[in-house]
Amino acid sequence: DAKTTQPTSMDCAEGRAANLPCNHSTISGNEYVYWYRQIHSQGPQYIIHGLKNNETNEMASLIITEDRKSSTLILPHATLRDTAVYYCIVKDNNNDMRFGAGTRLTVKP
Amino acid sequence: DAGVIQSPRHEVTEMGQEVTLRCKPISGHDYLFWYRQTMMRGLELLIYFNNNVPIDDSGMPEDRFSAKMPNASFSTLKIQPSEPRDSAVYFCASSFNAWNTEAFFGQGTRLTVV
């Protein structure tokens, strides 16, 4: 049911930028791209979202391609506490939120 | 606000027993979501409500599962009778009535059916 595809896993060195890709080639014009992460067995935590423009907040940056078929979440200076499963989802105006398998990011010292 | 509150945090029950999971959404939120998470199937959307009305329950696995939202501040997910394959972590989430706002998740209920 998920409308996105992500790599299963990625590694990143502590202090370096983590770039997590997501493909959403069937996204429609009114659908937003959202990113959440889940640390260990906690509830998913919202990170950032966008429609067509690049977005930045205190946690991360979101780069959306011009055709909106893919996006990249950037954690500028990854720490060990950023080790988590990162989910990219698209959400329409029905507010339907379905998660895929996500990317397991491991930040290594 | 204390966030989305789920209870109990852990539940162990015997096969065949009825299980009721509870959720208190964030005050003012119009949407409420129930998810189930297992290693095999990941995070599955079971059902979601808008203004206490179920919008999509296509993810509810079978008739043994039912969800209600009697008012804006409370929802339940019931399993009757429970089976070992229902063992999972169940999450509740809530959000405002707009698709450009984020959802907030509770800490989950870990259900074990033996």
Side-chain angles (χ1 to χ4, degrees):
Chain A
D1 287 305
K3 303 176 185 178
T4 63
T5 56
Q6 300 176 251
T8 303
S9 63
M10 293 181 64
D11 291 342
C12 177
E14 187 179 19
R16 304 296 294 270
N19 296 280
L20 292 90
C22 178
N23 286 322
H24 31 81
S25 58
T26 61
I27 194 170
S28 59
N30 64 347
E31 288 182 319
Y32 278 77
V33 179
Y34 279 76
W35 283 84
Y36 287 79
R37 73 180 182 184
Q38 188 174 25
I39 296 174
H40 194 44
S41 56
Q42 299 176 21
Q45 173 194 23
Y46 165 80
I47 301 173
I48 197 167
H49 72 282
L51 184 62
K52 58 177 76 173
N53 297 321
N54 298 336
E55 302 288 344
T56 295
N57 63 21
E58 64 279 3
M59 290 182 68
S61 294
L62 174 60
I63 308 298
I64 303 174
T65 58
E66 193 169 340
D67 63 8
R68 301 208 326 121
K69 293 185 177 182
S70 65
S71 61
T72 301
L73 178 75
I74 301 173
L75 307 179
H77 305 286
T79 70
L80 299 178
R81 286 178 296 181
D82 292 321
T83 292
V85 178
Y86 287 77
Y87 297 98
C88 166
I89 66 172
V90 296
K91 189 167 72 159
D92 61 20
N93 56 359
N94 290 319
N95 221 2
D96 190 314
M97 280 205 321
R98 297 178 192 268
F99 288 72
T103 296
R104 182 172 297 277
L105 175 69
T106 302
V107 181
K108 299 185 174 181
Chain B
D1 199 311
V4 176
I5 300 173
Q6 292 186 245
S7 64
R9 291 293 309 277
H10 301 273
E11 176 81 37
V12 180
T13 190
E14 291 185 346
M15 183 174 61
Q17 296 298 306
E18 177 181 294
V19 176
T20 300
L21 311 181
R22 297 172 174 79
C23 176
K24 182 180 186 307
I26 292 174
S27 178
H29 281 187
D30 303 283
Y31 274 81
L32 184 139
F33 306 83
W34 281 102
Y35 292 87
R36 176 175 70 175
Q37 187 169 36
T38 61
M39 289 290 292
M40 291 294 294
R41 301 177 66 90
L43 197 57
E44 301 174 276
L45 176 63
L46 300 178
I47 184 172
Y48 67 99
F49 296 82
N50 179 18
N51 290 322
N52 313 336
V53 176
I55 301 301
D56 188 335
D57 65 354
S58 60
M60 296 287 265
E62 48 197 274
D63 292 344
R64 298 184 297 106
F65 285 68
S66 62
K68 294 182 179 180
M69 193 163 186
N71 57 61
S73 59
F74 184 65
S75 177
T76 59
L77 178 67
K78 186 176 294 186
I79 308 172
Q80 166 62 22
S82 59
E83 297 181 3
R85 59 193 169 119
D86 301 331
S87 297
V89 180
Y90 291 82
F91 289 103
C92 175
S94 70
S95 73
F96 284 114
N97 185 15
W99 75 101
N100 62 345
T101 62
E102 69 269 31
F104 295 82
F105 283 76
Q107 288 302 300
T109 295
R110 181 173 295 278
L111 173 65
T112 303
V113 183
V114 298

